[in-house]
Amino acid sequence: NKYGEKTSYGEKASYGGGDDNKYGEKTSYGNEEGGYGGGVGAYSSETTTNYEENDDSGTKTSEDYKEEKKHHKHLEELGGLGAVAAGAFALHEKHKAEKDPEHAHKHKIEEEIAAVAAVGAGGFAFHEHHQKKEAKEEEEEAEGKKKHHFF
C-alpha cells in the first residue's frame, strides 16, 4: 500500500491494497460471503439477540405479545420521564444563566445540551409508543382479529 501501512479491517474487508487504488479508498465492504457484517460493532444474526424471539418454537404466543407490549410501554414511560427531567434541567439552567451573569455562557451551554437531551428522550418515547402499537396490532392479528387496510 502506497499511502498507509494498514490494509485490512474486519473480516476480509480491504482498505487500500492493490495497484489501482492510489489513495486508500475502501474498495470492498463486508465479510467473505459478500454480505455486510463482521468486525467489532457490526450487526449479525449470531451476535444480536432479539427481544421478540421465542426460543421454544418460533411462533409467538399471546403471552409473548403481552410481554412485548409491556416492555415497550415501560420504555415509553422511561423516555417520557427522561424528557420531562431534561426539560426541567434546561429551564433550571436558563434561570441560572439569568441570575449568574459571570457564568452565563456555561449555563447557556448546559441549557442547550439539556434541551437536546429532552428532544432525544421525547423522540425515544415516541418511537416506543409506535413499537407498542405495532405489538398490539400483531397480537390482534395472531388472535384472529383482522385489521382491514383499504389504503
Side-chain angles (χ1 to χ4, degrees):
N1 192 358
K2 194 172 184 181
Y3 293 99
E5 292 300 314
K6 206 161 201 181
T7 58
S8 69
Y9 297 97
E11 298 175 10
K12 304 282 182 187
S14 70
Y15 192 89
D19 297 328
D20 298 338
N21 192 352
K22 294 181 187 175
Y23 301 104
E25 292 93 3
K26 201 165 191 179
T27 57
S28 103
Y29 298 91
N31 54 23
E32 56 193 63
E33 286 88 28
Y36 293 96
V40 176
Y43 294 101
S44 71
S45 61
E46 293 89 31
T47 59
T48 58
T49 57
N50 191 351
Y51 179 79
E52 295 128 13
E53 274 184 13
N54 185 0
D55 293 337
D56 297 331
S57 64
T59 59
K60 291 184 184 178
T61 64
S62 178
E63 186 65 30
D64 293 333
Y65 286 113
K66 288 177 184 173
E67 284 294 317
E68 185 178 350
K69 280 192 325 187
K70 193 162 104 174
H71 174 73
H72 289 299
K73 180 180 180 183
H74 180 72
L75 291 177
E76 177 187 356
E77 290 172 352
L78 284 176
L81 286 173
V84 169
F89 186 73
L91 288 175
H92 172 73
E93 287 298 322
K94 183 175 184 175
H95 177 72
K96 275 189 157 187
E98 293 170 358
K99 296 294 178 186
D100 187 12
E102 188 176 332
H103 301 105
H105 184 70
K106 174 188 160 210
H107 293 298
K108 285 183 181 181
I109 290 173
E110 289 179 356
E111 174 195 350
E112 290 175 9
I113 291 171
V116 168
V119 169
F124 178 74
F126 187 71
H127 166 75
E128 287 300 324
H129 176 72
H130 283 284
Q131 292 288 349
K132 182 179 70 173
K133 282 176 56 176
E134 283 181 14
K136 181 180 179 182
E137 290 172 3
E138 288 175 3
E139 179 185 18
E140 289 174 356
E141 285 179 16
E143 290 176 352
K145 300 176 189 173
K146 297 203 176 188
K147 219 173 188 184
H148 297 288
H149 296 285
F150 294 113
F151 299 103

